[in-house]
Amino acid sequence: MKKLKAQLSIGIVCCLLGFMITYQFKIINKKQQSLDVKKNNPEIVVEIEQLKKEKKDMESKINELQEKLRQYENETVGRDENTQKLKEELDNTRVILGETDLEGEGIIIYITPRSDFFNMSYETLPINDRDLLYVINELYSNGAEVVSINDIRITGSTGIRNAGNAIRIDNEKISPLKRVTIKAIGNKVALEAAVIFPGNIPSTLTEGCDVKWNTEKNLTIKKTNKIIKYKYAKNVKNK
């Protein structure tokens, strides 16, 4: 009987020691993970800043090359009627692809989340991709010719979707917790009517945000530096 009690006591002590050792391992692992995150954060920040700088440098080089290309085109066109028409078609194509800055009358819409940051969750973010798509669609339906979101030009191949804790527009990310600015060039009276018309601004957006707008006699929408390249689509050959 004494032997059995001794074995039970040893077993209980072993269980307690095992529990304590496991608990200590968990604490050590959590501390290590925390240290790793803190260690990696500065590196990530530096890397992001470096990538931003590289992107800015690349955009400057692209702008320089595009300007040189335009100079060559203007020198080539001359007074020949055919080359002038060809140049006009080329310029129109650039407008459609979003490769030139454009200006004209239109509207600027400001969507500002109300300051209730601590009650926000991912499920109840004040701005989401569907709301932005809905507003843009209404603007296009009322004659908008060119649209941008936070100065990101919207083209026929632009994708807008939620991605983690951000909204991705092509390769750019915008915050659903900060003010979003939508610009649209078109008949300013028609565009304002689109914004005022009941239901054209989703209630899911107005519940968490202040939505205001100004019509403008002249506003500028910047070009996109996105390069459109088709891999699968090809011209149909005449048979």
Side-chain angles (χ1 to χ4, degrees), residues 92-113:
N92 287 334
T93 303
R94 286 196 174 113
V95 170
I96 294 169
L97 294 176
E99 293 180 350
T100 55
D101 294 344
L102 296 174
E103 62 181 4
E105 70 173 62
I107 193 169
I108 303 177
I109 303 171
Y110 302 99
I111 303 171
T112 309

Side-chain angles (χ1 to χ4, degrees), residues 113-126 176-177 208:
R114 297 191 185 96
S115 56
D116 194 15
F117 180 81
F118 293 103
N119 290 326
M120 291 177 185
S121 66
Y122 180 73
E123 291 76 19
T124 59
L125 290 174
L177 305 176

Side-chain angles (χ1 to χ4, degrees), residues 1-125:
M1 191 64 182
K2 288 183 179 178
K3 187 178 180 182
L4 180 61
K5 286 183 178 177
Q7 288 176 337
L8 285 171
S9 299
I10 292 171
I12 292 169
V13 170
C14 287
C15 287
L16 287 172
L17 285 173
F19 172 77
M20 291 173 68
I21 291 170
T22 305
Y23 185 69
Q24 288 294 325
F25 270 125
K26 285 184 177 178
I27 291 175
I28 291 170
N29 284 334
K30 283 184 179 177
K31 286 183 178 178
Q32 185 63 46
Q33 287 173 0
S34 176
L35 286 172
D36 289 342
V37 170
K38 288 178 181 176
K39 182 183 175 182
N40 289 332
N41 274 343
E43 296 173 1
I44 292 171
V45 170
V46 170
E47 189 175 350
I48 289 172
E49 291 302 318
Q50 181 64 30
L51 289 171
K52 284 182 179 177
K53 185 177 181 304
E54 289 178 8
K55 182 187 172 190
K56 195 172 180 180
D57 292 342
M58 290 297 293
E59 286 176 349
S60 297
K61 287 180 181 176
I62 290 171
N63 290 335
E64 288 176 11
L65 290 171
Q66 287 178 336
E67 186 57 35
K68 284 183 180 177
L69 181 61
R70 288 194 180 87
Q71 288 177 5
Y72 293 144
E73 288 173 0
N74 291 331
E75 290 171 3
T76 305
V77 170
R79 296 182 178 178
D80 181 76
E81 186 177 346
N82 291 330
T83 54
Q84 285 181 358
K85 286 183 179 178
L86 190 63
K87 178 69 167 51
E88 288 175 4
E89 290 178 5
L90 188 60
D91 288 341
N92 287 334
T93 303
R94 286 196 174 113
V95 170
I96 294 169
L97 294 176
E99 293 180 350
T100 55
D101 294 344
L102 296 174
E103 62 181 4
E105 70 173 62
I107 193 169
I108 303 177
I109 303 171
Y110 302 99
I111 303 171
T112 309
R114 297 191 185 96
S115 56
D116 194 15
F117 180 81
F118 293 103
N119 290 326
M120 291 177 185
S121 66
Y122 180 73
E123 291 76 19
T124 59
L125 290 174

Side-chain angles (χ1 to χ4, degrees), residues 167-180:
I167 300 173
R168 183 183 286 273
I169 303 176
D170 285 337
N171 292 323
E172 306 280 346
K173 286 184 177 179
I174 64 172
S175 171
L177 305 176
K178 296 182 180 178
R179 188 170 82 169
V180 171

Side-chain angles (χ1 to χ4, degrees), residues 136-160:
I136 289 173
N137 187 51
E138 292 300 331
L139 291 171
Y140 278 130
S141 297
N142 283 270
E145 295 175 347
V146 191
V147 177
S148 71
I149 300 176
N150 283 10
D151 285 331
I152 303 169
R153 180 79 161 264
I154 306 301
T155 67
S157 61
T158 298
I160 302 175

Side-chain angles (χ1 to χ4, degrees), residues 103-109 139 143-146 182-192 213-221:
E103 62 181 4
E105 70 173 62
I107 193 169
I108 303 177
I109 303 171
L139 291 171
E145 295 175 347
V146 191
I182 298 175
K183 295 180 182 177
I185 292 177
N187 184 303
K188 59 183 181 182
V189 176
L191 295 179
E192 185 174 34
W213 61 87
N214 292 326
T215 56
E216 302 284 342
K217 290 182 179 178
N218 193 50
L219 62 90
T220 301
I221 292 184

